[in-house]
Amino acid sequence: MNKRWTISKINEFVEKNSESKLLTTEYHGFSQKLLFKCSCGSNFEKTFTKFKNNHQRKCDVCQPPKEAR
């Protein structure tokens, strides 16, 4: 069963599972980049899929991207 995400459900997930804050106020689909504020104060953009599934829950300074294989 496919779970339908709303901006309030995403915000709840972000609060429970990371130290980051969600700044985006509208959600239009899985390919949309959302704006987050990292615990260090930097803003960063990620799709919710990457944030949720790949555990990319901090900015690129606090959590550098993994090198390509």
Side-chain angles (χ1 to χ4, degrees):
M1 188 171 134
N2 208 350
K3 186 173 185 178
R4 277 257 190 238
W5 288 96
T6 62
I7 196 68
S8 59
K9 286 182 183 175
I10 292 171
N11 196 29
E12 199 175 294
F13 180 89
V14 171
E15 286 178 3
K16 286 182 182 174
N17 297 289
S18 75
E19 296 172 18
S20 301
K21 264 184 137 52
L22 179 66
L23 299 179
T24 302
T25 56
E26 292 182 9
Y27 182 61
H28 300 288
F30 67 93
S31 62
Q32 173 193 353
K33 285 194 173 184
L34 302 173
L35 185 63
F36 298 93
K37 187 177 211 71
C38 185
S39 56
C40 74
S42 299
N43 290 350
F44 66 99
E45 285 187 323
K46 290 265 191 304
T47 61
F48 183 58
T49 305
K50 282 186 174 178
F51 187 90
K52 181 171 67 77
N53 297 340
N54 298 346
H55 302 286
Q56 296 177 8
R57 299 182 181 166
K58 293 186 177 183
C59 68
D60 290 345
V61 175
C62 295
Q63 183 180 1
K66 293 186 174 128
E67 289 184 27
R69 294 181 191 183

